[in-house]
Amino acid sequence: MLVNRLTKKSSNSIRIGITGVPGVGKSTFIEALGKHLTLQGHKIGVLAIDPSSHKTKGSILGDKTRMESLSQNPNVFIRPTPSAGTLGGVAKTTRESITLLEAAGYDIILVETVGVGQSEISVSAMVDFFLLLMIPGAGDELQGIKRGIMEMADGIVINKAEGEMEKKAMLAKRQLENALHLFPLPENGQTPRVMLCSALQNKAIDKVWKGIEQHLSKNKKSGYFDHRRKSQSVYWFKEAVKHELETHFFSNAHVKENWKKFETEVSNDIKSPFAAAKEIINKVK
Amino acid sequence: MLVNRLTKKSSNSIRIGITGVPGVGKSTFIEALGKHLTLQGHKIGVLAIDPSSHKTKGSILGDKTRMESLSQNPNVFIRPTPSAGTLGGVAKTTRESITLLEAAGYDIILVETVGVGQSEISVSAMVDFFLLLMIPGAGDELQGIKRGIMEMADGIVINKAEGEMEKKAMLAKRQLENALHLFPLPENGQTPRVMLCSALQNKAIDKVWKGIEQHLSKNKKSGYFDHRRKSQSVYWFKEAVKHELETHFFSNAHVKENWKKFETEVSNDIKSPFAAAKEIINKVK
């Protein structure tokens, strides 16, 4: 398999995950960041995982015109969210696309996702830096985002720090920094840094990138960068094995036919979860 | 199977998970809370999940003398952490013990865990209220706890709010409340409440219990309490099925023999995770 023979070229690449609820300006941010990076001579790959896309018919990256100048740049490869498939399948394709893009010389990969679903765990497990994009708004910035995502972030960028919003953005930055100090440190020992920018006005995009580079350079020096990549590979190996086992099990006719009935019995306390599991598995064997 | 015929009596029980790093006074807190509850006529079950216990030979609940008066109370059942077995196995036993205890008339079940491992996800998935126990200490209270646990908590209790520590505890409470307001709301829409107590001096234990009761009574009114229990049952059903499938797979001789080799190849980029998964599964089929 091609992708299997192409794993060796990834050593100098950087993989960035970008999440944030709809409305924070992810497309504009990626457009601005991508432009900044291509001007520095980088080749950029832009991928997306969006579990809601088959419902909304492509709410992110579905429409290339949302990243107009970026999509016309020959040094940029943009792949919209695959419009079908389970999260596991989409995640697998995305993980493989990263390998392919890196082998083809793309040295910075951006993986976009919406911070409201299950896909963030997948994305954070395939990137070197997981970025949470937010907008100013005293206190309630995160109400749309799913619990747990905040603590997965390697860094937070407050976008739309422009005009009248700038003051609010600076306040939000301070509040978040205080809050993050109360929370457990990530594995690499670096408190997530909070940064400001305006993607629309192309302001401080360079500073955001500098911040990411500094963070990653520390991770490389400490060995955490390599450690994280290795753990991620093992994670995906295990996930793929589990995925395969479950797919096989759930495609069994008996399981398909009876699963819902079992679920109902279990949720209504008619059967214990463990007795039900034993029963459905024994019938398949 | 006995446990399977005993699922109907649980409707009036309350299941509380209690986590916190070593040193926050979990045993003392459970002792004080248990005493308060038995005086009100409740029958208490105390269980524990501690993945580190076979290393440290029982760091929690291993030694019953740590809960002296509670362990002598006829209305209290204490089961120390099983000293052997995988987390999956221990979690299963604990989940089943809850059902057995409830059937035997124990109406409040406390499940203790240490907030440093993987076991918190299991515990939070088997309780109605997940409590994070902390101690005062400006800013660095959570450095020992694992990321993600904070956001799983339904409530936080700052213990050791006594003597000179009381001021610090009140400050920590305010800081945490501010921080929690910045974070996404839990599924039930209730911001986790932060409470103070001194388990050692038996101070404000009644207030903590009131707080928990108020929280749960809101959850019952909104239907979230039932919804959570049903989802938890389905969660354990699925987990049990997965656990069974994986146990079967990993007990295969070929898998046992080759797993490490595959892991090494994957983490050194010699094989792609997905190709490796396919390979090892095909050999088993």
Side-chain angles (χ1 to χ4, degrees):
Chain A
M1 197 184 169
L2 178 66
V3 74
N4 197 23
R5 278 183 278 130
L6 292 176
T7 47
K8 272 293 174 195
K9 258 189 164 178
S10 60
S11 42
N12 287 312
S13 70
I14 292 176
R15 304 164 186 168
I16 312 287
I18 297 166
T19 191
V21 295
V24 295
K26 281 194 298 300
S27 297
T28 319
F29 177 76
I30 291 174
E31 171 102 10
L33 181 62
K35 201 178 164 188
H36 173 70
L37 294 172
T38 50
L39 285 174
Q40 293 192 331
H42 292 291
K43 282 183 81 179
I44 314 297
V46 183
L47 305 168
I49 296 187
D50 178 9
S52 64
S53 65
H54 26 289
K55 284 181 216 148
T56 59
K57 300 219 166 135
S59 63
I60 58 169
L61 288 186
D63 187 1
K64 278 201 187 187
T65 55
R66 292 179 69 201
M67 296 185 188
E68 245 177 287
S69 75
L70 211 57
S71 65
Q72 283 163 24
N73 190 318
N75 284 323
V76 177
F77 174 92
I78 300 186
R79 198 204 58 193
T81 310
S83 57
T86 60
L87 175 57
V90 173
K92 178 182 180 233
T93 315
T94 306
R95 181 63 164 70
E96 290 181 332
S97 298
I98 291 177
T99 311
L100 286 168
L101 284 169
E102 287 173 348
Y106 292 87
D107 60 335
I108 297 178
I109 315 293
L110 309 175
V111 186
E112 184 186 0
T113 183
V114 177
V116 291
Q118 286 289 314
S119 49
E120 285 66 35
I121 296 168
S122 300
V123 173
S124 78
M126 61 176 80
V127 296
D128 308 311
F129 189 97
F130 192 58
L131 183 83
L132 173 58
L133 207 64
M134 291 172 49
I135 41 171
D140 57 355
E141 297 95 62
L142 281 162
Q143 297 312 323
I145 215 153
K146 229 195 146 194
R147 272 154 73 86
I149 288 175
M150 189 90 176
E151 292 193 39
M152 278 161 46
D154 296 291
I156 297 175
V157 168
I158 303 174
N159 189 24
K160 304 196 183 175
E162 59 211 17
E164 283 175 15
M165 303 275 264
E166 206 167 345
K167 252 193 172 161
K168 263 192 171 178
M170 273 154 62
L171 178 66
K173 181 175 186 280
R174 267 201 308 281
Q175 287 180 326
L176 276 169
E177 280 168 344
N178 288 339
L180 287 167
H181 273 287
L182 284 178
F183 281 62
L185 274 180
E187 214 190 332
N188 62 346
Q190 289 195 60
T191 304
R193 67 177 82 193
V194 185
M195 299 172 278
L196 299 174
C197 80
S198 163
L200 196 67
Q201 299 184 357
N202 214 359
K203 240 171 61 186
I205 295 294
D206 52 339
K207 280 188 194 156
V208 167
W209 184 247
K210 270 253 151 63
I212 294 173
E213 278 189 321
Q214 280 168 5
H215 186 100
L216 290 176
S217 131
K218 276 189 197 168
N219 282 355
K220 281 186 178 175
K221 259 184 212 143
S222 70
Y224 176 75
F225 187 92
D226 268 348
H227 165 75
R228 176 158 162 169
R229 283 223 174 161
K230 277 182 203 282
S231 315
Q232 286 178 341
S233 293
V234 172
Y235 170 84
W236 285 105
F237 173 43
K238 284 183 189 158
E239 284 300 300
V241 165
K242 289 181 195 171
H243 184 74
E244 197 65 37
L245 292 173
E246 285 164 35
T247 306
H248 185 251
F249 176 78
F250 284 107
S251 64
N252 177 285
H254 175 78
V255 174
K256 271 187 191 164
E257 217 180 282
N258 291 286
W259 185 261
K260 273 287 152 209
K261 180 176 74 75
F262 274 94
E263 263 197 11
T264 309
E265 286 173 344
V266 161
S267 74
N268 290 315
D269 273 357
I270 294 164
K271 273 182 186 146
S272 100
F274 304 100
K278 218 167 203 163
E279 206 182 314
I280 197 164
I281 279 184
N282 278 340
K283 286 204 179 144
V284 172
K285 267 180 189 162
Chain B
M1 197 183 172
L2 179 67
V3 73
N4 196 23
R5 278 183 279 130
L6 291 177
T7 48
K8 272 293 175 197
K9 257 190 168 177
S10 61
S11 43
N12 287 314
S13 70
I14 291 177
R15 307 165 185 167
I16 313 285
I18 296 166
T19 191
V21 295
V24 295
K26 280 193 299 298
S27 295
T28 319
F29 177 76
I30 290 175
E31 172 102 9
L33 181 62
K35 201 178 166 192
H36 174 72
L37 294 172
T38 50
L39 285 174
Q40 293 192 332
H42 292 291
K43 283 184 80 179
I44 314 297
V46 183
L47 305 168
I49 295 187
D50 178 9
S52 65
S53 63
H54 25 288
K55 283 180 218 149
T56 60
K57 301 219 165 134
S59 62
I60 60 171
L61 287 185
D63 186 3
K64 277 201 190 189
T65 55
R66 295 179 67 201
M67 296 184 190
E68 246 176 287
S69 76
L70 210 58
S71 65
Q72 283 162 26
N73 190 318
N75 284 323
V76 177
F77 174 93
I78 300 187
R79 198 204 59 195
T81 309
S83 57
T86 60
L87 174 57
V90 173
K92 178 181 180 234
T93 315
T94 306
R95 182 62 165 72
E96 287 180 334
S97 298
I98 292 177
T99 310
L100 286 167
L101 284 168
E102 287 173 348
Y106 292 87
D107 60 336
I108 297 178
I109 315 293
L110 309 176
V111 187
E112 182 187 3
T113 183
V114 177
V116 290
Q118 285 290 312
S119 50
E120 286 65 36
I121 296 169
S122 299
V123 173
S124 78
M126 60 175 81
V127 297
D128 308 312
F129 190 96
F130 192 58
L131 184 83
L132 172 59
L133 207 63
M134 291 171 48
I135 41 170
D140 57 355
E141 297 96 62
L142 282 160
Q143 297 311 324
I145 214 151
K146 227 193 147 198
R147 271 154 74 87
I149 288 174
M150 188 89 177
E151 293 193 39
M152 279 161 45
D154 296 292
I156 297 175
V157 169
I158 302 174
N159 189 23
K160 305 196 182 174
E162 59 212 19
E164 283 176 16
M165 300 276 263
E166 205 167 346
K167 251 193 175 163
K168 262 193 175 179
M170 272 155 61
L171 178 66
K173 181 174 186 282
R174 267 202 309 280
Q175 286 180 327
L176 276 169
E177 281 169 344
N178 288 338
L180 288 167
H181 272 289
L182 284 178
F183 281 62
L185 274 179
E187 215 190 332
N188 61 347
Q190 289 196 61
T191 303
R193 67 177 84 194
V194 185
M195 299 172 278
L196 299 174
C197 81
S198 163
L200 195 69
Q201 301 183 357
N202 215 1
K203 237 172 62 186
I205 295 293
D206 53 338
K207 280 189 194 156
V208 167
W209 185 248
K210 270 252 150 66
I212 294 173
E213 279 189 321
Q214 280 168 5
H215 187 99
L216 291 175
S217 131
K218 275 190 198 168
N219 282 355
K220 281 185 178 174
K221 260 182 213 146
S222 69
Y224 176 75
F225 187 94
D226 269 346
H227 164 75
R228 177 159 162 169
R229 284 222 173 161
K230 277 182 202 283
S231 314
Q232 286 177 341
S233 295
V234 172
Y235 170 84
W236 286 105
F237 173 44
K238 284 182 191 162
E239 284 300 300
V241 165
K242 289 182 197 172
H243 184 74
E244 198 63 38
L245 292 174
E246 285 166 34
T247 305
H248 185 250
F249 176 77
F250 284 106
S251 65
N252 176 285
H254 174 78
V255 173
K256 271 189 192 163
E257 217 180 280
N258 291 284
W259 185 261
K260 273 288 155 209
K261 179 175 74 77
F262 274 94
E263 263 198 10
T264 309
E265 287 174 342
V266 161
S267 74
N268 290 315
D269 274 357
I270 293 164
K271 272 180 187 149
S272 101
F274 303 100
K278 221 168 200 162
E279 206 182 314
I280 198 164
I281 280 183
N282 278 339
K283 284 199 182 150
V284 174
K285 268 180 188 163

